[in-house]
PDB file of all heavy atoms in Angstrom:
ATOM      1  N   ALA A   3     -33.121 -32.720  31.320  1.00  0.00           N
ATOM      2  CA  ALA A   3     -34.365 -33.028  30.600  1.00  0.00           C
ATOM      3  C   ALA A   3     -35.012 -31.733  30.133  1.00  0.00           C
ATOM      4  O   ALA A   3     -36.006 -31.262  30.692  1.00  0.00           O
ATOM      5  CB  ALA A   3     -35.313 -33.819  31.505  1.00  0.00           C
ATOM      6  N   GLY A  14     -19.886 -11.352  14.658  1.00  0.00           N
ATOM      7  CA  GLY A  14     -19.190 -10.245  15.299  1.00  0.00           C
ATOM      8  C   GLY A  14     -19.189  -8.988  14.456  1.00  0.00           C
ATOM      9  O   GLY A  14     -18.602  -7.979  14.840  1.00  0.00           O
ATOM     10  N   THR A  37     -39.800 -28.485  14.901  1.00  0.00           N
ATOM     11  CA  THR A  37     -38.732 -27.512  14.679  1.00  0.00           C
ATOM     12  C   THR A  37     -39.289 -26.331  13.894  1.00  0.00           C
ATOM     13  O   THR A  37     -39.849 -26.508  12.807  1.00  0.00           O
ATOM     14  CB  THR A  37     -37.567 -28.137  13.906  1.00  0.00           C
ATOM     15  OG1 THR A  37     -37.101 -29.287  14.614  1.00  0.00           O
ATOM     16  CG2 THR A  37     -36.414 -27.149  13.756  1.00  0.00           C
ATOM     17  N   ALA A  62     -42.048 -18.217  31.566  1.00  0.00           N
ATOM     18  CA  ALA A  62     -43.473 -18.038  31.888  1.00  0.00           C
ATOM     19  C   ALA A  62     -44.271 -19.325  31.673  1.00  0.00           C
ATOM     20  O   ALA A  62     -45.227 -19.603  32.403  1.00  0.00           O
ATOM     21  CB  ALA A  62     -44.044 -16.916  31.028  1.00  0.00           C
ATOM     22  N   ILE A 137      -3.895  -0.431  13.779  1.00  0.00           N
ATOM     23  CA  ILE A 137      -4.172  -0.327  15.205  1.00  0.00           C
ATOM     24  C   ILE A 137      -2.924  -0.734  15.961  1.00  0.00           C
ATOM     25  O   ILE A 137      -2.387  -1.830  15.757  1.00  0.00           O
ATOM     26  CB  ILE A 137      -5.362  -1.220  15.619  1.00  0.00           C
ATOM     27  CG1 ILE A 137      -6.648  -0.717  14.953  1.00  0.00           C
ATOM     28  CG2 ILE A 137      -5.527  -1.240  17.137  1.00  0.00           C
ATOM     29  CD1 ILE A 137      -7.853  -1.576  15.218  1.00  0.00           C
ATOM     30  N   PRO A 202     -19.760 -25.174  30.802  1.00  0.00           N
ATOM     31  CA  PRO A 202     -19.686 -26.075  31.955  1.00  0.00           C
ATOM     32  C   PRO A 202     -19.228 -25.388  33.226  1.00  0.00           C
ATOM     33  O   PRO A 202     -18.759 -26.057  34.145  1.00  0.00           O
ATOM     34  CB  PRO A 202     -18.639 -27.087  31.493  1.00  0.00           C
ATOM     35  CG  PRO A 202     -17.675 -26.252  30.705  1.00  0.00           C
ATOM     36  CD  PRO A 202     -18.505 -25.192  30.025  1.00  0.00           C
ATOM     37  N   ILE A 215     -21.915 -24.691  21.316  1.00  0.00           N
ATOM     38  CA  ILE A 215     -22.090 -25.722  20.293  1.00  0.00           C
ATOM     39  C   ILE A 215     -21.551 -25.183  18.967  1.00  0.00           C
ATOM     40  O   ILE A 215     -21.882 -24.056  18.582  1.00  0.00           O
ATOM     41  CB  ILE A 215     -23.578 -26.106  20.107  1.00  0.00           C
ATOM     42  CG1 ILE A 215     -24.197 -26.541  21.436  1.00  0.00           C
ATOM     43  CG2 ILE A 215     -23.727 -27.202  19.062  1.00  0.00           C
ATOM     44  CD1 ILE A 215     -25.705 -26.749  21.359  1.00  0.00           C
ATOM     45  N   TRP A 216     -20.740 -25.994  18.264  1.00  0.00           N
ATOM     46  CA  TRP A 216     -20.185 -25.562  16.982  1.00  0.00           C
ATOM     47  C   TRP A 216     -20.763 -26.432  15.870  1.00  0.00           C
ATOM     48  O   TRP A 216     -20.246 -27.536  15.610  1.00  0.00           O
ATOM     49  CB  TRP A 216     -18.663 -25.688  16.994  1.00  0.00           C
ATOM     50  CG  TRP A 216     -17.949 -24.698  17.871  1.00  0.00           C
ATOM     51  CD1 TRP A 216     -18.415 -24.124  19.019  1.00  0.00           C
ATOM     52  CD2 TRP A 216     -16.642 -24.179  17.669  1.00  0.00           C
ATOM     53  NE1 TRP A 216     -17.483 -23.289  19.550  1.00  0.00           N
ATOM     54  CE2 TRP A 216     -16.371 -23.295  18.742  1.00  0.00           C
ATOM     55  CE3 TRP A 216     -15.669 -24.376  16.702  1.00  0.00           C
ATOM     56  CZ2 TRP A 216     -15.167 -22.615  18.854  1.00  0.00           C
ATOM     57  CZ3 TRP A 216     -14.470 -23.703  16.813  1.00  0.00           C
ATOM     58  CH2 TRP A 216     -14.221 -22.823  17.883  1.00  0.00           C
ATOM     59  N   ARG A 303       7.645 -22.393  22.413  1.00  0.00           N
ATOM     60  CA  ARG A 303       7.593 -21.402  21.333  1.00  0.00           C
ATOM     61  C   ARG A 303       6.219 -20.738  21.243  1.00  0.00           C
ATOM     62  O   ARG A 303       6.121 -19.536  21.001  1.00  0.00           O
ATOM     63  CB  ARG A 303       7.940 -22.081  20.010  1.00  0.00           C
ATOM     64  CG  ARG A 303       8.050 -21.120  18.830  1.00  0.00           C
ATOM     65  CD  ARG A 303       8.582 -21.826  17.592  1.00  0.00           C
ATOM     66  NE  ARG A 303       7.752 -22.944  17.201  1.00  0.00           N
ATOM     67  CZ  ARG A 303       8.134 -24.219  17.260  1.00  0.00           C
ATOM     68  NH1 ARG A 303       9.333 -24.538  17.698  1.00  0.00           N
ATOM     69  NH2 ARG A 303       7.319 -25.190  16.879  1.00  0.00           N
ATOM     70  N   GLY A 351      31.771   3.603 -21.627  1.00  0.00           N
ATOM     71  CA  GLY A 351      32.613   2.437 -21.817  1.00  0.00           C
ATOM     72  C   GLY A 351      33.471   2.588 -23.070  1.00  0.00           C
ATOM     73  O   GLY A 351      33.374   3.580 -23.785  1.00  0.00           O
ATOM     74  N   ALA A 378      34.350  15.866 -21.719  1.00  0.00           N
ATOM     75  CA  ALA A 378      34.129  14.649 -22.496  1.00  0.00           C
ATOM     76  C   ALA A 378      35.404  14.295 -23.263  1.00  0.00           C
ATOM     77  O   ALA A 378      36.083  15.169 -23.806  1.00  0.00           O
ATOM     78  CB  ALA A 378      32.974  14.854 -23.469  1.00  0.00           C
ATOM     79  N   THR A 396      32.924   5.768 -15.296  1.00  0.00           N
ATOM     80  CA  THR A 396      33.669   4.531 -15.521  1.00  0.00           C
ATOM     81  C   THR A 396      35.107   4.746 -15.076  1.00  0.00           C
ATOM     82  O   THR A 396      35.654   5.840 -15.249  1.00  0.00           O
ATOM     83  CB  THR A 396      33.638   4.154 -17.013  1.00  0.00           C
ATOM     84  OG1 THR A 396      32.271   4.051 -17.437  1.00  0.00           O
ATOM     85  CG2 THR A 396      34.350   2.828 -17.271  1.00  0.00           C
ATOM     86  N   ARG A 409      48.767  12.170 -20.815  1.00  0.00           N
ATOM     87  CA  ARG A 409      47.708  11.313 -21.353  1.00  0.00           C
ATOM     88  C   ARG A 409      47.897   9.879 -20.860  1.00  0.00           C
ATOM     89  O   ARG A 409      48.937   9.527 -20.300  1.00  0.00           O
ATOM     90  CB  ARG A 409      47.710  11.365 -22.875  1.00  0.00           C
ATOM     91  CG  ARG A 409      48.930  10.789 -23.555  1.00  0.00           C
ATOM     92  CD  ARG A 409      48.988  11.182 -25.013  1.00  0.00           C
ATOM     93  NE  ARG A 409      48.984  12.638 -25.159  1.00  0.00           N
ATOM     94  CZ  ARG A 409      48.326  13.292 -26.112  1.00  0.00           C
ATOM     95  NH1 ARG A 409      47.612  12.626 -26.996  1.00  0.00           N
ATOM     96  NH2 ARG A 409      48.387  14.598 -26.190  1.00  0.00           N
ATOM     97  N   GLY A 503      24.812 -13.722  26.439  1.00  0.00           N
ATOM     98  CA  GLY A 503      24.546 -12.293  26.347  1.00  0.00           C
ATOM     99  C   GLY A 503      23.471 -11.800  27.297  1.00  0.00           C
ATOM    100  O   GLY A 503      23.012 -10.656  27.180  1.00  0.00           O
ATOM    101  N   ASP A 517       9.432 -23.910  52.296  1.00  0.00           N
ATOM    102  CA  ASP A 517       9.257 -22.491  52.639  1.00  0.00           C
ATOM    103  C   ASP A 517      10.463 -21.671  52.195  1.00  0.00           C
ATOM    104  O   ASP A 517      10.319 -20.550  51.692  1.00  0.00           O
ATOM    105  CB  ASP A 517       9.031 -22.340  54.140  1.00  0.00           C
ATOM    106  CG  ASP A 517       7.677 -22.882  54.585  1.00  0.00           C
ATOM    107  OD1 ASP A 517       6.758 -22.948  53.734  1.00  0.00           O
ATOM    108  OD2 ASP A 517       7.538 -23.242  55.774  1.00  0.00           O
ATOM    109  N   ALA A 541       9.570 -35.920  40.697  1.00  0.00           N
ATOM    110  CA  ALA A 541       8.354 -36.103  41.481  1.00  0.00           C
ATOM    111  C   ALA A 541       8.601 -36.822  42.795  1.00  0.00           C
ATOM    112  O   ALA A 541       7.693 -37.418  43.360  1.00  0.00           O
ATOM    113  CB  ALA A 541       7.313 -36.873  40.664  1.00  0.00           C
ATOM    114  N   ALA A 571      10.863 -29.187  34.686  1.00  0.00           N
ATOM    115  CA  ALA A 571       9.663 -28.469  35.101  1.00  0.00           C
ATOM    116  C   ALA A 571       9.574 -27.161  34.327  1.00  0.00           C
ATOM    117  O   ALA A 571      10.545 -26.421  34.220  1.00  0.00           O
ATOM    118  CB  ALA A 571       9.707 -28.184  36.604  1.00  0.00           C
ATOM    119  N   ALA A 590      21.589 -31.044  33.156  1.00  0.00           N
ATOM    120  CA  ALA A 590      21.257 -29.628  33.304  1.00  0.00           C
ATOM    121  C   ALA A 590      21.782 -28.818  32.124  1.00  0.00           C
ATOM    122  O   ALA A 590      21.096 -27.935  31.595  1.00  0.00           O
ATOM    123  CB  ALA A 590      21.820 -29.085  34.612  1.00  0.00           C
ATOM    124  N   ALA A 620      30.210 -40.591  11.607  1.00  0.00           N
ATOM    125  CA  ALA A 620      30.473 -41.000  12.982  1.00  0.00           C
ATOM    126  C   ALA A 620      31.779 -41.772  13.076  1.00  0.00           C
ATOM    127  O   ALA A 620      32.149 -42.523  12.160  1.00  0.00           O
ATOM    128  CB  ALA A 620      29.329 -41.854  13.503  1.00  0.00           C
ATOM    129  N   PRO A 678      26.402 -41.023   8.723  1.00  0.00           N
ATOM    130  CA  PRO A 678      26.275 -39.595   9.029  1.00  0.00           C
ATOM    131  C   PRO A 678      25.411 -39.375  10.268  1.00  0.00           C
ATOM    132  O   PRO A 678      24.369 -40.014  10.443  1.00  0.00           O
ATOM    133  CB  PRO A 678      25.598 -39.027   7.775  1.00  0.00           C
ATOM    134  CG  PRO A 678      24.868 -40.195   7.188  1.00  0.00           C
ATOM    135  CD  PRO A 678      25.679 -41.410   7.504  1.00  0.00           C
TER     136      PRO A 678
END
Side-chain angles (χ1 to χ4, degrees):
T37 304
I137 295 176
I215 305 172
W216 289 30
R303 186 172 58 247
T396 304
R409 66 194 58 219
D517 290 336

